[in-house]
Amino acid sequence: ASDIELLLGICCMRRWAVVEVARTLLADEQAPGRQRLLADLIHNLSENSQAEGKEQDQAWFEGLQSRFKSKSSYMRYSCECRIRGYLREVSSFTPNVHPTARDAYKRIVDLMSDKLKSANYNGCYFDRREEEAARLCTAEGWFSCQATFDRAECPCKHSINPYSNRESRILFSTWNLDHIIEKKRAVVPELAEAVKTRDGREVNWEYFYRLLFTMENLKLVHIACHKKTNHNLSCDKTKIYRKRKKTQEIS
């Protein structure tokens, strides 16, 4: 084993002893850089990521509503809140839709809402208890940055485990579910335009649903990897309409 593997192994096996030594050193340390190193060491070794229930890690739940009894239930809720927020943004765009297409646009929003409800607002993305294919984290609760919209990998290798401690839970709220094809600049306006100019065609609302609410068009990114500049990407024109179905018809 390498020296670093041996060091990490000792830290893991005797982490509480290491934490106590680090706290003693931190109490007398004056150099900011060394303070940061010691504080980070204490922070990482003091985590209790394996704990799931409130009785096992009460500190993690500090500041949360009493109805949350497990870490996974809160993390699922936090993801649902983000997705619900996207749905509200789509709905709030209704006044901007051409008057002749407004009712049809509202019906599409209703269809999206029903689909999200049946999927529990995709809260599975943040729930470590879910099947591997459904979640964005490891079974232990680790999330990795999926990089800026225009890169395949995060060069900084950002990662976080919001299940580990309260501070990480709070910091995770700064991570973004970023739309590759932008929600406000591209997807929602394109949906409104598609409804207005459909001319007897059926809008492929499920395509827009995937762009707005699923990992087909979402990336989980560290705040430093969230580019707020114009992505200059647009919807696939070949997927905006589809052949009419007898059900779920938008007229």
Side-chain angles (χ1 to χ4, degrees):
S2 66
D3 291 343
I4 192 169
E5 287 175 326
L6 290 172
L7 176 61
L8 291 173
I10 293 171
C11 284
C12 290
M13 288 186 295
R14 305 181 60 186
R15 61 175 183 161
W16 294 117
V18 175
V19 167
E20 288 306 312
V21 172
R23 283 175 175 161
T24 300
L25 293 172
L26 181 60
D28 298 322
E29 184 57 63
Q30 300 300 317
R34 296 165 72 89
Q35 286 179 337
R36 174 62 185 273
L37 287 173
L38 288 167
D40 284 349
L41 179 63
I42 294 168
H43 171 76
N44 289 320
L45 291 180
S46 298
E47 66 180 26
N48 191 10
S49 59
Q50 292 183 338
E52 177 66 22
K54 182 182 291 188
E55 67 283 354
Q56 299 168 303
D57 191 356
Q58 292 187 3
W60 192 92
F61 292 85
E62 184 180 337
L64 300 182
Q65 297 178 17
S66 59
R67 64 191 177 96
F68 296 111
K69 306 300 182 185
S70 71
K71 293 180 179 180
S72 294
S73 65
Y74 173 76
M75 292 301 298
R76 172 178 282 273
Y77 166 79
S78 69
C79 187
E80 291 174 3
C81 286
R82 298 191 191 206
I83 301 298
R84 286 175 185 268
Y86 300 158
L87 180 62
R88 285 194 296 271
E89 289 183 63
V90 179
S91 180
S92 66
F93 193 80
T94 304
N96 300 311
V97 179
H98 193 276
T100 60
R102 205 166 286 164
D103 286 344
Y105 182 87
K106 289 179 181 177
R107 287 195 288 274
I108 285 179
V109 173
D110 288 341
L111 289 171
M112 289 181 172
S113 178
D114 290 341
K115 189 173 179 67
L116 280 174
K117 287 177 183 176
S118 68
N120 296 313
Y121 295 93
N122 294 335
C124 57
Y125 294 153
F126 290 179
D127 188 344
R128 65 180 178 180
R129 301 169 302 182
E130 285 285 344
E131 295 295 324
E132 184 176 358
R135 51 179 158 83
L136 293 176
C137 60
T138 67
E140 295 75 29
W142 281 98
F143 292 82
S144 296
C145 176
Q146 296 178 319
T148 57
F149 75 93
D150 54 355
R151 299 191 68 156
E153 294 183 1
C154 172
C156 298
K157 305 297 182 185
H158 295 123
S159 64
I160 190 171
N161 189 339
Y163 287 86
S164 61
N165 50 56
R166 179 173 175 269
E167 181 180 349
S168 293
R169 167 175 65 78
I170 294 171
L171 285 174
F172 185 68
S173 66
T174 67
W175 284 49
N176 292 275
L177 278 174
D178 187 31
H179 289 83
I180 302 170
I181 303 174
E182 295 170 282
K183 175 178 76 272
K184 291 183 178 180
R185 287 193 178 109
V187 182
V188 175
E190 187 67 65
L191 173 59
E193 181 66 17
V195 176
K196 185 183 75 170
T197 60
R198 65 195 185 281
D199 191 25
R201 294 170 293 182
E202 183 180 359
V203 176
N204 186 6
W205 65 269
E206 289 177 312
Y207 167 63
F208 289 98
Y209 172 92
R210 295 194 300 273
L211 293 182
L212 290 164
F213 308 115
T214 76
M215 299 312 298
E216 180 175 321
N217 189 48
L218 289 170
K219 274 190 168 187
L220 180 67
V221 296
H222 184 278
I223 189 170
C225 288
H226 184 208
K227 289 186 178 179
K228 295 187 178 181
T229 55
N230 196 324
H231 293 186
N232 292 314
L233 296 172
S234 57
C235 302
D236 185 341
K237 299 295 185 182
T238 67
K239 297 180 179 179
I240 290 176
Y241 299 103
R242 65 184 177 191
K243 291 182 179 180
R244 280 192 171 275
K245 295 180 180 180
K246 293 183 179 180
T247 59
Q248 298 180 337
E249 182 174 310
I250 303 300
S251 60

